[in-house]
Amino acid sequence: MFGHVTPAPPDAIFGLNDAFAKDPRPDKINLGAGVYRDEDGRTPILRVVKEAEGRILANEASKSYLPIEGHPDYGRLVRELLFGTDHEVLREGRAATVHTPGGTGALRVAADLLEDIQPGARVWLSRPTWPNHPAVFGGGTLQIAEYPYFDPETNGLDLEAMLEALGGADPGDVVILHGCCHNPTGVDPTAEQWRRVARTLAAGRLVPLVDFAYQGFADDVRRDAAWLPILCGELPEVMVASSFSKNFGLYNERVGALTLVTDSAPRAAAVLSRVRQVVRRNYSNPPGHGAAIVREILGDPQLRRLWLEELAAMGGRIRGIRRQFAEGLDARGVSLHASGNGFIDRQNGMFSYSRLGPQQVERLRIDHGIYMVGSGRINVAGITQSNVDRLCDAIAAVGPGTP
Ligand code: LMR
């Protein structure tokens, strides 16, 4: 059975970690996977997480199975984190939430649900997008299509091209959007642009599936979710894949959620029953610990406050280091775009779509021990006071390039 199996290529993102680990150079820099690092280059456990874990350890009485869709309080708290405490979707009970192993798990559960209820549906991905999106949605009957998103001339959103492409989609097609901190570009629509996206989806009877992995990293948890009432104002059906890897620093606990907004409470219950089937045949029911932490924190006003402070501090460090990175390039006379390096400051979230081309990315890795995703995506959170100068020197040495 295994005799004909040849090795698969390394993962576009996590494969970099393996290569980085093998690199013996002491001054190597990992700007690959989207993982927050502090000034010392560590990925800390948030203080609030430690506090919540202490309470959980002291109080948990059983490790029996969770319901297939997860703990009901978890589902409610996730919905409130998305919508705030008062929204008609919540009042009318039109949304169901299922606790998934991470945000990727949420996307995969959504893909399996589509395979069950809408086989052969077309799934539209932004160009560019997270390299795992095509893999998560491909491989079955779902068809993958792309819509333009990024304008290389302006380093911004190409809204007109995006809407034109989506205007050609068929009713029932699914459109993957990024809630905030678009991965890899860091370019997000404004509220007005979200309105236009929502109206285009409504006109075409398309269904959005919003990948929401960075809530709290652009502005704050509320403002980063401002697209949701806009979409729900125009559309009866919306899917949201939440990840708590980054905003709670719970990467290896694999905790996320899939929330499905439908047009009525009975429909939400029906859809949830189908999602339960998907989960049952995949991993049966979800892992408990990470979601217990999220539940403990979101359900306690004092812990929630502490969490929001720590989240704001992570975002603040990233914004500060973006500035320093751009200034470091300016100081060396290096411009990563015809318009200068100001775009680095304007991008949201952990990533800078640096506009470094594949040759520069390769030379940075081989000649300088600096690792980033092949698209030129830099995890800005991997830049610190102690490596920013070396990074800027290395980029000056390889040249800005034309992606
Ligand atoms: C990333 O894009 O680097 C993160 O979302 C981690 C991952 O799963 O790829």
Side-chain angles (χ1 to χ4, degrees):
M1 186 164 90
F2 300 131
H4 68 285
V5 177
T6 53
D11 182 77
I13 293 177
F14 288 137
L16 290 172
N17 285 345
D18 302 333
F20 182 80
K22 287 191 195 124
D23 190 327
R25 286 171 281 192
D27 57 355
K28 60 189 176 178
I29 306 175
N30 189 351
L31 306 177
V35 173
Y36 178 77
R37 298 222 182 75
D38 63 15
E39 246 322 305
D40 300 319
R42 291 173 312 123
T43 301
I45 300 175
L46 299 188
R47 279 180 297 129
V48 69
V49 165
K50 280 288 186 199
E51 171 67 30
E53 284 183 310
R55 295 188 190 181
I56 292 164
L57 279 186
N59 297 325
E60 77 179 342
S62 171
K63 290 201 184 279
S64 184
Y65 294 124
L66 285 169
I68 293 174
E69 68 270 31
H71 195 292
D73 288 348
Y74 176 78
R76 176 180 54 78
L77 289 163
V78 169
R79 285 192 294 280
E80 289 177 3
L81 188 59
L82 290 173
F83 283 97
T85 45
D86 185 37
H87 188 276
E88 65 170 82
V89 166
L90 303 188
R91 284 197 302 276
E92 294 166 5
R94 289 198 280 122
T97 300
V98 56
H99 160 194
T100 56
T104 308
L107 294 169
R108 185 63 217 174
V109 167
D112 277 2
L113 177 71
L114 294 173
E115 291 284 0
D116 283 2
I117 63 175
Q118 191 94 321
R122 214 165 347 145
V123 176
W124 291 78
L125 304 175
S126 66
R127 187 172 60 240
T129 194
W130 182 50
N132 208 22
H133 274 153
V136 168
F137 292 97
T141 69
L142 302 177
Q143 310 293 310
I144 304 292
E146 282 189 337
Y147 59 87
Y149 186 84
F150 182 75
D151 181 352
E153 295 296 316
T154 63
N155 268 330
L157 174 63
D158 195 347
L159 183 70
E160 300 309 325
M162 172 182 178
L163 298 185
E164 192 186 326
L166 293 179
D170 294 323
D173 281 3
V174 174
V175 181
I176 310 293
L177 300 163
H178 301 223
C180 68
C181 309
H182 180 272
N183 184 358
T185 66
V187 171
D188 295 327
T190 61
E192 186 43 39
Q193 289 171 328
W194 273 110
R195 265 180 220 109
R196 292 190 58 198
V197 171
R199 288 198 286 265
T200 300
L201 300 186
R205 307 193 54 182
L206 313 177
V207 184
L209 167 47
V210 183
D211 188 348
F212 201 22
Y214 296 90
Q215 186 175 5
F217 273 91
D219 286 318
D220 59 42
V221 291
R222 286 272 34 87
R223 278 185 287 175
D224 288 0
W227 50 270
L228 185 55
I230 295 175
L231 291 187
C232 291
E234 300 284 341
L235 294 152
E237 297 179 350
V238 176
M239 299 180 272
V240 185
S242 303
S243 166
F244 301 124
S245 297
K246 280 86 177 175
N247 48 14
F248 284 82
L250 289 172
Y251 305 88
N252 68 16
E253 297 295 353
R254 308 308 301 137
V255 52
L258 177 65
T259 296
L260 302 149
V261 178
T262 69
D263 64 355
S264 69
R267 197 100 61 198
V271 172
L272 179 61
S273 73
R274 301 299 293 260
V275 181
R276 281 197 198 104
Q277 290 186 314
V278 167
V279 169
R280 178 67 171 138
R281 68 176 189 249
N282 267 286
Y283 53 87
S284 193
N285 45 65
H289 188 66
I293 297 169
V294 170
R295 212 167 74 217
E296 191 73 33
I297 294 171
L298 293 180
D300 180 298
Q302 183 221 335
L303 292 189
R304 191 188 174 95
R305 240 188 335 272
L306 182 53
W307 170 58
L308 292 174
E309 278 169 26
E310 290 191 80
L311 179 55
M314 289 193 278
R317 190 186 101 69
I318 291 173
R319 278 187 287 279
I321 206 74
R322 274 186 187 280
R323 185 88 292 275
Q324 266 186 273
F325 176 41
E327 285 170 359
L329 294 171
D330 289 347
R332 287 159 180 82
V334 178
S335 225
L336 293 181
H337 188 255
S339 63
N341 296 311
F343 72 93
I344 295 173
D345 271 336
R346 290 191 295 276
Q347 294 165 334
N348 284 329
M350 268 189 200
F351 303 123
S352 177
Y353 199 48
S354 68
R355 316 307 315 283
L356 289 161
Q359 284 172 347
Q360 280 73 24
V361 171
E362 190 176 313
R363 283 196 54 203
L364 285 166
R365 189 180 70 248
I366 293 171
D367 300 349
H368 300 273
I370 296 174
Y371 290 71
M372 62 185 68
V373 179
S375 63
R377 188 195 84 174
I378 287 176
N379 175 18
V380 182
I383 309 177
T384 63
Q385 303 297 328
S386 54
N387 67 24
V388 64
D389 284 331
R390 203 175 96 66
L391 172 65
C392 293
D393 286 341
I395 292 176
V398 302
T402 324

